[in-house]
């Protein structure tokens, strides 16, 4: 898309004053080529927008074919259509997650564990055994409402509960 915009501008290397005098055909070349360059940069730097930018590039290429010197002597239109189609069909690949660089955990006393031994597992933050109603939201402090009962297995929601 960027190459198509640059090609359209290079085909019409005339001063801006003369472009304004020639009318819409010359000015639209600058507008269409500028939009194609911007769409190419947006696609490059924000790949999540590839569907929108690819679609717009195709429409701009068809408009440039009609309004701006056959779209840069047809070469600019073809480049924009190919670039827009490639951007539209592109599937950005997610980057692999970065590894965290952390310090080694030290055991009590500041001594490293002997080589070949594995570090001890992290203790469970809540050593209490799980209760039957675990995971059920309890009302906040100061609430007069009793806690919601635990759902019964094999039964749907209580139709009388409001």
């Amino acid at each position: 898309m960027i190459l198509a915009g640059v090609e359209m501008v290079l085909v019409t290397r005339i001063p801006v004053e003369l472009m304004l005098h020639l009318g819409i055909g010359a000015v639209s070349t600058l507008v269409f080529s500028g939009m194609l360059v911007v769409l190419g940069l947006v696609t490059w730097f924000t790949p999540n927008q590839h569907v929108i930018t690819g679609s717009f590039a195709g429409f701009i290429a068809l408009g440039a074919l009609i309004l701006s010197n056959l779209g840069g002597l047809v070469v600019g239109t073809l480049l924009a259509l190919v670039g827009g189609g490639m951007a539209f069909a592109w599937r950005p690949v997610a980057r692999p997650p970065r590894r965290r660089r952390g310090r080694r955990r030290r055991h009590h006393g500041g001594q490293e564990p002997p080589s070949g031994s594995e570090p001890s597992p992290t203790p469970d933050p809540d050593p209490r055994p799980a209760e039957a109603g675990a995971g059920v939201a309890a009302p906040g402090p100061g609430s007069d409402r009793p806690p919601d009962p635990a759902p019964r297995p094999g039964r749907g929601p209580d139709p009388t509960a409001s």
Side-chain angles (χ1 to χ4, degrees):
M1 288 184 278
I2 297 171
L3 189 60
V6 170
E7 193 274 334
M8 284 184 197
V9 168
L10 291 179
V11 166
T12 60
R13 285 180 280 172
I14 58 175
V16 176
E17 294 84 18
L18 185 57
M19 276 190 190
L20 293 175
H21 181 70
L22 290 176
I24 194 163
V27 174
S28 66
T29 301
L30 285 181
V31 172
F32 287 142
S33 61
M35 288 192 306
L36 284 171
V37 168
V38 167
L39 285 173
L41 291 173
V42 167
T43 304
W44 191 320
F45 290 111
T46 56
N48 293 335
Q49 306 296 327
H50 66 95
V51 174
I52 295 171
T53 56
S55 301
F56 282 166
F59 293 134
I60 290 171
L62 293 176
L65 182 65
I66 297 169
L67 292 175
S68 76
N69 303 324
L70 291 176
L73 300 177
V74 182
V75 176
T77 295
L78 291 177
L79 285 172
L81 285 173
V82 168
M86 287 172 55
F88 184 83
W90 179 33
R91 298 286 178 220
V93 178
R95 291 183 179 172
R98 289 186 173 185
R99 293 185 180 182
R100 287 187 164 191
R101 290 187 179 183
R103 295 183 182 177
R104 286 186 177 176
R105 288 189 169 178
R106 295 182 179 226
H107 291 286
H108 297 296
Q111 298 175 352
E112 290 289 326
S115 63
S117 68
E118 295 185 20
S120 62
T122 309
D124 188 16
D126 188 11
R128 294 179 292 162
E131 299 174 10
V136 176
S143 174
D144 294 337
R145 197 176 120 218
D148 293 334
R152 291 183 226 161
R155 295 189 61 176
D158 187 10
T160 60
S162 55

